[in-house]
């Protein structure tokens, strides 16, 4: 028989469930630029929001190629 301290055992939530609950309960949105469910304009909006709030990503600092 295994013994786990309270709060350390049981079922682990998958990342999508954590993101869904974060949005619904706290209004926090976690989005990947590579999420296949997003269209190009949606990914571009997410990228622009991220840059506005947090600055450019290290891979984006050299300018855009494309």
């Amino acid at each position: 028989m295994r013994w786990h301290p309270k709060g350390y055992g049981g079922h682990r939530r998958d990342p999508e469930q954590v993101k869904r609950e974060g949005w619904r309960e706290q209004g926090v949105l976690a989005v990947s630029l590579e999420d296949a469910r997003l269209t190009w304009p949606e990914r571009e909006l997410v990228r622009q929001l991220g840059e506005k709030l947090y600055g450019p990503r290290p891979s984006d600092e050299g300018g855009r190629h494309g």
Side-chain angles (χ1 to χ4, degrees):
M1 177 178 182
R2 285 192 168 169
W3 178 83
H4 299 283
K6 186 175 181 179
Y8 287 92
H11 178 70
R12 181 178 212 133
R13 297 180 297 169
D14 69 277
E16 286 299 316
Q17 182 182 3
V18 173
K19 290 189 262 183
R20 188 178 310 110
E21 291 174 3
W23 171 248
R24 291 179 179 166
E25 296 173 10
Q26 299 177 13
V28 175
L29 183 61
V31 181
S32 171
L33 289 175
E34 285 79 34
D35 193 321
R37 298 172 290 185
L38 300 177
T39 62
W40 180 85
E42 292 166 338
R43 284 193 298 274
E44 184 64 14
L45 175 62
V46 169
R47 185 192 63 76
Q48 290 176 8
L49 286 170
E51 286 185 359
K52 180 178 182 176
L53 295 173
Y54 305 114
R57 297 172 66 205
S59 61
D60 293 342
E61 289 180 6
R64 283 197 235 160
H65 303 282

